């Protein structure tokens, strides 16, 4: 009881000391924009659709709900949230993560005590465990460690024999249940967890471990199949490019997978020392070799990551096993069964050399020195001496400082900011929007106020209206390409995984974003303020396209013709006409340049786009900015903090939208951010986890709140980079209202319906939506399933005959029913296998 209270106290002290005053236990980055936001949205979807596995979510234009299963489907805290609808999910998430952290420490302490039969050694190992830097993610990427208490529970079950049943059978059925719950917390780690369980079982039981292990593994995967199978199919559908085998590092001399990094295991040199020391004794050699190979060779992490990439975060489930092995070696040397070794300091010194020039060198050197002093004391002091016990204190600063350094580096969410976000979801704007959504169901809502934090947030009052925005690791590539490449929307963050709106009037109009939360400074063309709350306002543009409508056959062009246009003309084509996939009827000759078509053929692009650059009357440049023209005409930029440039237009632009684009190249060491009239574009550094490769910056400028564009204000991030291929295009504002269409009449959706509506047409044509096309979709026209077409490069459409029609678009996630059947059969199988339970 005393050790439990002491460990609990240590956990609480660390949490208290590392959280700044006035801050919430969550990161401004992934925690706020993904985990806390999605927990709220998924809970609302569960309650709205009456299921724990929502098949569709109104984010990203309307998506397969399993694109977000990575963040919480069937996660215990969300299930608790469904029972407590009045409690904000971020509060439940914070409590869940902190309780999970404490439970992990206490379970690991029990695990060590059973293995080591030493209270002192198990307590010391538990302190090392609770100080592992990977627990930094209790307030950032929660799925990196939220599975840990359930994973440790499965290890504890496999560790002990069932005293109440047959002594020779492990409780693999119950272990499978806990592993399945662990997958529901974070199925990303399922392969790594199974690998860790497999190695642990093998080292305890030898070659006979296979029978029990296979039942445990198959049972756990089977029980969780209702989550895993549809998640697998949606990942397969939307997978990104993966790292090839040749790009996987064979040797990792810095050993970042093991040492200090919160994006690895986050352990210290003591564990590395014990791994090397274990090589000297046969009993520990196999474990030491296996673990050293795992942290020094990228192939292991690459395989555990499903061949996506070689990153140390996938090894976090092995933290308990690394520490178990390390404490076994430590205890053997403490008891005199092995000598305290000197030779491990040689490879550790080599590792130290590879850190020269990095920010870790000083802390790592101090860790090295303290460890060396400890080993020297232990070699010179009898085992029973007080000096030996006191020397153990030399081993504590490194893990404590490593944990604290990671936590202190966090950009925590302020309580004030979170309160503002929560208030916005239940404030007057949200209530106004909720009422409007019921009246206008075929339109969308987005936010330009902190779009990253708001991307996945809807709020219960606004749940009846969808968003074009989303932030998930599983993104529809065709939709992303449309959003960023065809519509030339600025990329605001380090990756293009997040779909974030910006002040792009063409994008907002095309995707049916009728309602927009924004500020006076960011009021796009065509929007008028209808409500205000604090510094935010709700704006409406009734002229945007609805989510569903019909167009006559004469108002279409083929994809081949569309892609034959230049970039600026493509935007005009999308705003004026409907692009039909090559499987549909072609209304223009193959390869014909659409801008040369006669007006009667349906093309109205020629007068709507001009690539004439505006003229400037003067400029103002800050002293922090240096611009040099190279021989090839490109511009070399050298910018310090506060670098800016203002260009004054010779004539105000009032009836046009000015498009600007240019290429950006840098050395990749730091990100490049260039903001023009409040619109931000970013080229990430090469070291970003998912580099956005955004080398072409796009901007659409449509003037101030009075509709006139008088100057162009540019700010530059610090660094040296090159700008080239500068191009401008002027679009007539009339493009925003040029498309000829008949709007659909929206009806209330149910269950897995993405859309339900009525249409009335006088001639044959096409049914068009701005809902991204995905597998599992079925379109019913007058109750009959109809062939789907891809329209406007990424969206759902269909051929439509003249007359009145009832239309429903449904999405059933591929693999959902198969996964459900497997889960039921697995549960029955485990219950029937009495010997295994």
């Amino acid at each position: 009881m005393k050790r439990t209270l002491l460990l609990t106290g240590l956990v609480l002290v660390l949490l208290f000391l590392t959280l700044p005053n006035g801050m919430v236990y969550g990161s401004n980055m992934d925690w706020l924009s993904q985990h806390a936001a999605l927990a709220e949205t998924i809970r609302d979807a569960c309650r709205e659709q009456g299921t724990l596995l929502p098949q569709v979510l109104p984010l990203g234009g309307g998506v397969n709900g399993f694109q977000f299963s990575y963040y919480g489907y069937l996660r215990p805290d969300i299930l608790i949230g469904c029972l407590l609808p009045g409690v904000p999910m971020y509060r439940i998430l914070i409590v869940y993560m902190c309780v999970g952290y404490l439970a992990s420490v206490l379970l690991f302490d029990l695990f060590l005590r059973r293995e080591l039969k030493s209270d002192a050694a198990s307590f010391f190992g538990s302190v090392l465990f609770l100080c592992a830097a990977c627990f930094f993610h209790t307030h950032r990427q929660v799925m990196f460690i939220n599975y840990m208490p359930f994973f440790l529970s499965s290890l504890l079950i496999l560790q002990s024999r069932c005293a109440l049943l047959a002594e020779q059978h492990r409780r693999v059925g119950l272990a499978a249940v806990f592993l399945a719950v662990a997958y529901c917390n974070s199925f990303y780690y399922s392969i790594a967890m199974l690998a860790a369980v497999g190695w642990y079982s093998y080292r305890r039981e030898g070659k006979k471990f296979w029978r029990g292990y296979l039942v445990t593994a198959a049972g756990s995967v089977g029980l969780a199949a209702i989550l895993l199978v549809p998640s697998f199919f949606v990942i397969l559908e939307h997978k990104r490019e993966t790292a090839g085998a040749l790009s996987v590092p064979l040797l990792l001399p810095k050993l970042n997978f093991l040492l200090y990094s919160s994006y690895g295991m986050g352990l210290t040199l003591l564990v590395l020392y014990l791994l090397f020391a274990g090589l000297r004794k046969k009993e520990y050699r196999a474990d030491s070799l296996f673990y050293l190979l795992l942290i020094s060779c990228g192939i292991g992490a690459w395989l555990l990551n499903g061949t996506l990439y070689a990153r140390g975060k996938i090894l976090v489930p092995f933290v308990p096993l690394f520490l178990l092995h390390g404490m076994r070696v430590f205890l053997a040397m403490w008891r005199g069964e092995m000598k305290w070794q000197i030779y491990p300091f040689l490879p550790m010194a080599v590792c130290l050399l590879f850190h020269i020039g990095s920010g870790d060198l000083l802390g790592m050197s101090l860790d090295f020195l303290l460890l060396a002093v400890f080993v020297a004391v232990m070699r010179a002091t009898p085992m029973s001496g007080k000096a030996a016990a006191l020397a153990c204190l030399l081993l504590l600063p490194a893990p404590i400082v490593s944990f604290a350094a990671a936590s202190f580096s966090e950009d925590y969410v302020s309580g004030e900011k979170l309160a503002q976000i929560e208030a916005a979801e239940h404030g007057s704007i949200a209530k106004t929007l909720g009422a409007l959504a019921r009246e206008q169901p075929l339109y969308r809502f987005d936010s330009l106020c902190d779009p990253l934090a708001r991307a996945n947030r809807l709020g219960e009052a606004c749940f009846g209206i969808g968003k074009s925005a989303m932030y998930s690791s599983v993104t529809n590539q065709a939709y992303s390409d449309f959003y960023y490449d065809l519509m030339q929307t600025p990329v605001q963050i380090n990756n293009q995984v997040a779909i974030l709106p910006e002040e792009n009037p063409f994008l907002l109009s095309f995707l049916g974003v009728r309602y927009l939360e924004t500020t006076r400074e960011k009021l796009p063309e065509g929007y008028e303020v209808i409500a205000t709350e604090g510094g935010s306002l709700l704006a409406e543009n009734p002229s945007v396209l609805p989510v569903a409508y019909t167009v006559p056959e004469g108002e279409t062009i083929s994809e081949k013709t569309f892609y034959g246009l230049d970039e600026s003309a493509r935007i005009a084509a999308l705003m004026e006409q409907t692009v039909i996939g090559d499987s549909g009827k072609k209304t223009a000759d193959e390869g014909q340049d659409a801008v040369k078509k006669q007006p009667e053929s349906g093309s109205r692009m020629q007068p709507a786009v001009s690539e004439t650059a505006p003229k400037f009357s003067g400029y103002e440049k800050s002293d922090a900015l240096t611009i040099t023209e190279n021989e090839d005409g490109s511009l070399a930029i050298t910018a310090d903090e506060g670098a800016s440039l203002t260009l004054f237009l010779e004539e105000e632009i009032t009836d046009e939208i000015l498009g600007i684009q240019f290429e950006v190249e840098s050395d990749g060491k730091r990100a490049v951010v260039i903001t023009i009239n409040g619109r931000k574009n970013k080229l990430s550094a090469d070291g970003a986890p998912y580099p956005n490769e955004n080398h072409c910056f796009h901007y659409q400028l449509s003037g101030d709140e009075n509709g006139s564009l008088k100057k162009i204000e540019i700010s530059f991030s610090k660094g040296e980079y090159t700008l080239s291929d500068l191009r401008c295009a002027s679009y007539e504002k009339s493009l925003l209202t040029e498309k000829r269409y008949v709007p659909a009449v929206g009806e209330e959706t149910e269950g897995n319906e993405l859309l339900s509506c009525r249409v009335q047409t006088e001639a044959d044509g096409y049914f068009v939506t701005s809902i991204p096309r995905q597998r599992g979709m079925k379109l019913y026209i007058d109750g009959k399933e109809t062939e789907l077409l891809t329209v406007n490069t990424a969206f759902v459409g269909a051929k439509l005959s003249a007359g009145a029609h009832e239309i429903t678009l449904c999405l059933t996630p591929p693999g959902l029913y198969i996964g459900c059947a497997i889960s039921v059969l697995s549960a029955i199988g485990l219950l029937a296998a009495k010997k295994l339970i």
Side-chain angles (χ1 to χ4, degrees):
M1 185 63 180
K2 290 183 179 179
R3 65 188 297 118
T4 299
L5 291 175
L6 185 54
L7 286 171
T8 301
L10 289 173
V11 169
L12 294 177
V13 167
L14 281 179
L15 294 178
F16 176 77
L17 292 179
T18 55
L19 181 64
N21 187 37
M23 297 296 174
V24 175
Y25 195 72
S27 166
N28 250 318
M29 298 176 63
D30 301 295
W31 184 89
L32 181 63
S33 59
Q34 296 184 74
H35 305 289
L38 280 169
E40 194 75 58
T41 298
I42 292 171
R43 176 177 67 173
D44 289 343
C46 290
R47 298 181 66 243
E48 182 82 13
Q49 299 178 28
T51 176
L52 296 178
L53 288 168
Q55 297 181 45
V56 297
L57 285 180
L59 300 172
V63 298
N64 181 336
F66 284 86
Q67 286 183 237
F68 296 92
S69 62
Y70 177 57
Y71 297 94
Y73 272 30
L74 296 179
R75 212 171 68 196
D77 57 311
I78 294 182
L79 302 185
I80 293 170
C82 289
L83 299 175
L84 302 171
V87 181
M89 271 307 305
Y90 82 88
R91 295 184 185 274
I92 295 174
L93 179 59
I94 290 172
V95 173
Y96 181 69
M97 293 306 300
C98 291
V99 170
Y101 176 29
L102 175 60
S104 299
V105 172
L106 298 180
L107 288 169
F108 182 69
D109 181 57
L110 177 60
F111 178 70
L112 278 189
R113 274 188 287 155
R114 288 181 175 180
E115 290 283 351
L116 303 177
K117 311 300 182 186
S118 168
D119 286 346
S122 62
F123 181 80
F124 181 63
S126 298
V127 172
L128 296 179
F129 180 76
L130 71 88
C131 289
C134 60
F135 285 108
F136 163 87
H137 292 287
T138 51
H139 46 74
R140 182 171 286 192
Q141 291 278 11
V142 301
M143 78 279 289
F144 285 12
I145 44 86
N146 62 358
Y147 57 85
M148 190 64 75
F150 306 100
F151 173 62
L152 285 168
S153 296
S154 69
L155 290 180
L156 280 165
I157 293 166
L158 292 173
Q159 181 189 61
S160 61
R161 295 185 181 276
C162 182
L164 300 177
L165 300 176
E167 288 186 359
Q168 299 303 314
H169 298 285
R170 298 190 181 280
R171 296 195 289 187
V172 295
L174 189 55
V177 172
F178 276 105
L179 279 174
V181 177
Y183 305 157
C184 291
N185 276 270
S186 181
F187 66 76
Y188 169 77
Y189 280 94
S190 55
I191 298 174
M193 283 188 271
L194 285 174
V197 166
W199 181 255
Y200 175 72
S201 300
Y202 169 68
R203 294 301 295 157
R204 283 184 62 88
E205 303 175 38
K207 296 180 180 179
K208 296 180 180 180
F209 87 102
W210 279 108
R211 180 172 177 266
Y213 172 69
L214 288 178
V215 173
T216 301
S220 65
V221 172
L223 289 173
I226 191 171
L227 171 72
L228 298 179
V229 173
S231 297
F232 170 76
F233 275 104
V234 78
I235 290 171
L236 194 64
E237 178 183 359
H238 300 304
K239 65 181 179 179
R240 297 191 299 271
E241 293 183 3
T242 60
L246 294 178
S247 67
V248 177
L250 294 178
L251 292 177
L252 300 160
K254 294 179 72 172
L255 300 181
N256 287 345
F257 286 6
L258 173 72
L259 299 174
Y260 309 114
S261 172
S262 57
Y263 281 83
M265 287 185 278
L267 300 173
T268 59
L269 281 177
L270 172 62
V271 178
L272 183 59
Y273 169 84
L274 295 171
L275 290 178
F276 280 115
L279 295 173
R280 290 298 296 269
K281 193 169 183 178
K282 184 178 180 180
E283 181 182 352
Y284 307 118
R285 189 171 298 145
D287 284 296
S288 282
L289 284 172
F290 176 73
Y291 295 142
L292 285 169
L293 183 65
L294 204 57
I295 61 173
S296 61
C297 177
I299 292 178
W302 179 67
L303 291 173
L304 293 176
N305 271 302
T307 71
L308 289 174
Y309 36 62
R311 290 181 185 157
K313 63 185 180 182
I314 199 62
L315 299 182
V316 173
F318 282 88
V319 169
L321 301 188
F322 269 70
L323 287 174
L324 170 62
H325 174 65
M327 294 315 300
R328 282 173 173 163
V329 176
F330 185 91
L331 196 56
M333 290 190 289
W334 184 273
R335 290 171 173 170
E337 299 168 8
M338 293 173 60
K339 290 183 179 180
W340 292 94
Q341 305 295 327
I342 298 296
Y343 79 89
F345 287 97
L346 179 59
M348 288 162 58
V350 174
C351 178
L352 203 66
L353 291 175
F354 278 93
H355 281 78
I356 292 177
S358 74
D360 298 330
L361 181 61
L362 178 59
M364 192 173 180
S365 300
L366 292 174
D367 188 9
F368 186 94
L369 179 61
L370 290 173
L371 182 56
V373 173
F374 169 78
V375 171
V377 171
M378 296 306 295
R379 288 175 64 89
T381 304
M383 289 183 295
S384 60
K386 291 183 179 180
L390 291 174
C392 289
L393 296 177
L394 294 170
L395 302 176
L396 295 178
I400 292 173
V401 170
S402 176
F403 179 91
S407 294
F408 286 139
S409 68
E410 181 64 279
D411 177 22
Y412 289 98
V413 182
S414 69
E416 181 181 0
K417 179 176 180 179
L418 191 56
Q420 290 174 350
I421 292 175
E422 292 293 319
E425 292 181 0
H426 303 91
S428 60
I429 285 181
K431 293 177 181 178
T432 301
L433 184 61
L436 292 171
R438 289 188 290 272
E439 297 174 4
Q440 303 288 348
L442 291 186
Y443 294 92
R444 296 193 175 103
F445 160 75
D446 268 316
S447 177
L448 299 184
C449 299
D450 199 351
L452 183 60
R454 305 285 180 91
N456 292 323
R457 290 180 176 269
L458 280 171
E460 191 172 3
C462 309
F463 211 82
I465 190 167
K467 276 189 171 186
S468 73
M470 64 176 286
Y471 189 3
S472 171
S473 296
V474 182
T475 305
N476 186 323
Q477 190 60 53
Y479 183 56
S480 177
D481 291 344
F482 173 87
Y483 210 95
Y484 287 120
D485 297 337
L486 292 181
M487 278 297 179
Q488 302 181 10
T489 303
V491 179
Q492 303 173 58
I493 62 174
N494 277 336
N495 63 65
Q496 290 195 45
V497 174
I499 306 294
L500 304 179
E502 181 51 290
E503 197 176 343
N504 179 346
F506 302 118
L507 175 82
L508 298 173
S509 177
F510 189 93
L511 293 181
V513 182
R514 180 166 182 161
Y515 307 106
L516 194 65
E517 182 186 27
T518 185
T519 62
R520 290 284 179 187
E521 294 74 26
K522 296 184 74 106
L523 189 63
E525 181 67 30
Y527 285 84
E528 295 184 359
V529 179
I530 58 174
T532 61
E533 182 178 12
S536 300
L537 54 86
L538 180 64
E540 180 183 14
N541 182 357
S543 299
V544 302
L545 294 172
V547 170
Y549 52 92
T550 63
V551 296
E553 288 187 333
E555 294 295 317
T556 64
I557 60 173
S558 72
E559 276 192 1
K560 188 169 184 178
T561 301
F562 173 75
Y563 282 111
L565 303 171
D566 61 31
E567 291 183 355
S568 57
R570 287 176 192 170
I571 290 181
L574 287 166
M575 298 307 300
E576 292 181 325
Q577 299 181 304
T578 297
V579 180
I580 302 297
D582 290 336
S583 58
K585 180 180 177 181
K586 297 179 177 61
T587 58
D589 294 334
E590 296 291 351
Q592 183 180 11
D593 187 349
V595 296
K596 295 181 180 179
K597 293 191 297 178
Q598 297 300 318
E600 58 267 25
S601 68
S603 174
R604 302 177 299 282
M605 290 176 286
Q606 179 66 30
V609 182
S610 169
E611 295 192 356
T612 303
K615 296 181 179 180
F616 301 100
S617 60
Y619 68 90
E620 291 180 358
K621 182 177 71 68
S622 68
D623 295 336
L625 177 67
T626 300
I627 303 176
T628 305
E629 185 173 359
N630 298 321
E631 292 182 0
D632 61 359
S634 62
L635 301 177
I637 304 295
T638 302
D640 290 325
E641 294 292 340
S644 64
L645 174 68
T646 300
L647 303 173
F648 298 97
L649 292 169
E650 191 172 284
E651 295 183 5
E652 293 183 8
I653 296 176
T654 56
D655 298 324
E656 297 175 329
I657 297 170
L658 177 62
I660 299 175
Q661 71 176 61
F662 49 82
E663 298 289 329
V664 181
E665 295 295 335
S666 71
D667 59 11
K669 294 181 180 179
R670 64 170 70 197
V672 178
V673 178
I674 300 178
T675 303
I676 300 181
N677 286 21
R679 294 132 175 105
K680 173 184 173 183
N681 249 305
K682 186 173 187 177
L683 170 63
S684 61
D686 292 343
Y690 305 101
N692 62 23
E693 299 181 358
N694 179 37
H695 291 279
C696 187
F697 284 16
H698 295 101
Y699 306 85
Q700 292 80 30
L701 311 181
S702 53
D704 54 25
E705 59 182 318
N706 296 319
S708 62
L709 181 64
K710 305 174 183 177
K711 59 184 177 181
I712 299 175
E713 298 177 298
I714 312 172
S715 65
F716 301 83
S717 64
K718 184 176 180 180
E720 296 181 1
Y721 35 92
T722 302
L723 311 184
S724 61
D725 196 18
L726 173 65
R727 285 179 284 172
C728 296
S730 296
Y731 303 89
E732 292 184 4
K733 291 181 179 180
S734 60
L735 270 177
L736 297 173
T737 56
E738 277 290 289
K739 191 180 288 279
R740 298 170 184 169
Y741 66 92
V742 178
V745 178
E747 296 182 341
E748 187 175 349
T749 58
E750 297 179 356
N752 66 336
E753 294 177 355
L754 282 167
L755 176 69
S756 179
C757 64
R758 292 178 285 110
V759 297
Q760 175 76 49
T761 62
E762 296 181 357
D764 292 351
Y766 290 90
F767 176 68
V768 181
T769 77
S770 55
I771 298 174
R773 185 172 179 179
Q774 301 147 80
R775 293 175 187 169
M777 283 183 160
K778 290 186 177 181
L779 184 70
Y780 298 92
I781 299 180
D782 300 326
K784 296 181 180 180
E785 186 175 347
T786 303
E787 180 186 2
L788 294 175
L789 294 178
T790 299
V791 299
N792 295 321
T793 75
F795 305 98
V796 176
K799 281 283 293 179
L800 193 66
S801 60
H805 302 282
E806 296 277 348
I807 300 178
T808 303
L809 177 64
C810 302
L811 191 157
T812 301
L816 177 62
Y817 297 135
I818 295 174
C820 183
I822 293 173
S823 292
V824 171
L825 292 174
S826 298
I828 294 173
L830 286 174
L831 289 172
K834 295 181 180 180
K835 289 184 177 181
L836 298 174
I837 300 177

